[in-house]
Amino acid sequence: AVASLRQFCIDHSQSAFVDDAQCLVAESLSRTGDGAGYLAAVQAFRQQWPQSSLLPGLELNAAIKQHYNQHNYSAMLAAMRAFEQEYPEHELTGRASYYIVRCLLETRQLEDSSQAVDDFAARYPQNPELEELRFNQALVPYEQHNLDQGIERLDSYIAAHPDSPFVLTAQKMQAY
């Protein structure tokens, strides 16, 4: 089905239905479970329709499937930084920024993740995932066995987000 939709788009490139066909191809790609197969399909989509408005979303999903879900955080970090550069004003750039922070937190890069969380907060202050990022940022010193800094970070987190669903967990961690 995907191949026939691609052929339709090639044969009818000036047709009003090409955008709809691209959407169907993109939808079919999104159902592909395998990260490597999905990445190859997205690359083929990019070659076929390099100006498609669907491409950024497909590329973001490909990176998530290929890198983040496989715990390859250095590759994901590189992919998301490239995404930010290629699509600086796209509506999904905030999602790429989120994954940059997550990768830095996952790899316990305390200094870089702190700066990345601050940058994310400045750029996306209303993002609902900001509390989660700040909470996970506060946990990094604990995981590195730096309890004094961990307590300090959790105190700051609780003060800044008193209504957060993570406050109870933060308070429990402080009690240890």
Side-chain angles (χ1 to χ4, degrees), residues 53-115:
S53 62
L54 302 172
L55 193 56
L58 292 172
E59 289 180 338
L60 183 67
N61 287 335
I64 292 167
K65 288 182 178 196
Q66 179 74 21
H67 306 306
Y68 191 80
N69 291 351
Q70 304 302 316
H71 309 285
N72 187 348
Y73 302 120
S74 61
M76 182 65 172
L77 193 56
M80 293 301 93
R81 286 184 171 147
F83 186 96
E84 282 187 325
Q85 287 200 333
E86 187 163 351
Y87 307 108
E89 301 302 320
H90 194 276
E91 63 186 81
L92 291 175
T93 301
R95 197 78 188 135
S97 297
Y98 166 81
Y99 277 104
I100 287 172
V101 176
R102 291 292 311 157
C103 289
L104 292 169
L105 290 168
E106 292 288 348
T107 57
R108 307 299 182 250
Q109 297 178 44
L110 186 57
E111 300 287 322
D112 291 339
S113 66
S114 292
Q115 184 62 52

